[in-house]
Amino acid sequence: MSNALADSLPEISIGSTQSPSELSSLIEQRLQLAYQQLGYQPIFLPLPSERRLRLVRSQALDADLFRLCDLQNAYPDILMIPVPLGDFTLKAYALSSKTLENWQNNPRLIVVHIRGFKMAEQTHFAGKRLEVASLEQAFGLLQQKRADIVLEDEPSATAYLATATDWSEGSWYAAALNSMAVCHILGSHLQHLAEPLQQLLSQPNP
């Protein structure tokens, strides 16, 4: 689609991650093609995870790039497009491999993750939970030894650590916890787009 034609389409506002990765970029590309086929131009807005969900629920934002596919069970006021767009593996990151040994049963550990990150919120552990606004803050606390564990999905953490100048390969350790599928969500005011989006996203190349 030409830029001129795309610019003339009505816009759809989509909350996107503030921790971009190769997978999130691929999901954005896939959604852009699907929305343009339906006659809309998606505008991706990087926002904190918790705020994205809140804005979609209040219809101040049209859609969210992705959420756990089972999220609609907890939030019936959003529309989940039931097509998995990828799998995210949750990992625990630490400064030493010893810290990761049986860490979920250690009540002395401080475990940090981004506020509103559902995969981490659903993870149970004996230590103290600390929520922050960004990966920079989370890994900063880890580096300063003010936290013992960072919980983050592998694509986002890998992308962040690869570009962070104060983290070098081998200066951190990680352990995989679980893997969950993510799906695109819409605000309830866009119910008319749910079925056609599902059909397009179900195709290999929407």
Side-chain angles (χ1 to χ4, degrees):
M1 179 176 293
S2 69
N3 290 336
L5 181 56
D7 290 343
S8 68
L9 298 177
E11 294 181 351
I12 290 280
S13 59
I14 301 177
S16 186
T17 176
Q18 289 185 308
S19 306
S21 64
E22 183 178 355
L23 181 54
S24 67
S25 296
L26 289 173
I27 292 174
E28 283 191 5
Q29 293 171 19
R30 191 172 173 187
L31 288 173
Q32 180 159 356
L33 288 172
Y35 275 108
Q36 287 180 342
Q37 287 189 38
L38 295 176
Y40 294 89
Q41 177 59 33
I43 305 298
F44 298 101
L45 306 170
L47 294 168
S49 178
E50 186 178 40
R51 186 180 176 197
R52 280 159 39 203
L53 180 59
R54 184 174 69 250
L55 291 176
V56 172
R57 295 183 67 196
S58 68
Q59 300 183 12
L61 198 63
D62 293 320
D64 195 351
L65 187 65
F66 56 75
R67 290 282 164 176
L68 297 181
C69 290
D70 62 357
L71 189 69
Q72 192 166 11
N73 297 331
Y75 299 99
D77 52 350
I78 62 173
L79 298 172
M80 182 73 65
I81 308 302
V83 180
L85 300 177
D87 290 311
F88 280 74
T89 298
L90 180 67
K91 284 193 171 184
Y93 294 84
L95 295 179
S96 73
S97 58
K98 186 175 181 179
T99 303
L100 293 171
E101 295 176 3
N102 201 31
W103 69 269
Q104 286 177 276
N105 296 318
N106 188 341
R108 293 178 295 179
L109 297 182
I110 297 176
V111 182
V112 61
H113 63 78
I114 292 178
R115 188 177 299 109
F117 179 34
K118 296 301 178 184
M119 288 182 76
E121 289 180 352
Q122 294 173 8
T123 300
H124 300 288
F125 49 83
K128 179 182 177 182
R129 186 183 300 269
L130 184 62
E131 298 182 347
V132 295
S134 68
L135 274 185
E136 183 178 8
Q137 291 177 350
F139 279 101
L141 290 172
L142 181 64
Q143 193 170 50
Q144 297 162 19
K145 298 184 179 179
R146 294 166 59 192
D148 303 291
I149 298 281
V150 171
L151 295 181
E152 184 54 66
D153 68 76
E154 183 179 24
S156 298
T158 299
Y160 171 79
L161 291 169
T163 58
T165 57
D166 47 355
W167 287 91
S168 59
E169 188 69 32
S171 63
W172 45 268
Y173 297 82
L177 300 178
N178 54 11
S179 183
M180 297 184 182
V182 294
C183 297
H184 184 52
I185 71 167
L186 293 174
S188 57
H189 61 295
L190 294 179
Q191 187 168 4
H192 62 286
L193 293 180
E195 185 174 343
L197 263 180
Q198 180 178 345
Q199 293 175 356
L200 286 173
L201 293 174
S202 296
Q203 300 172 6
N205 295 297

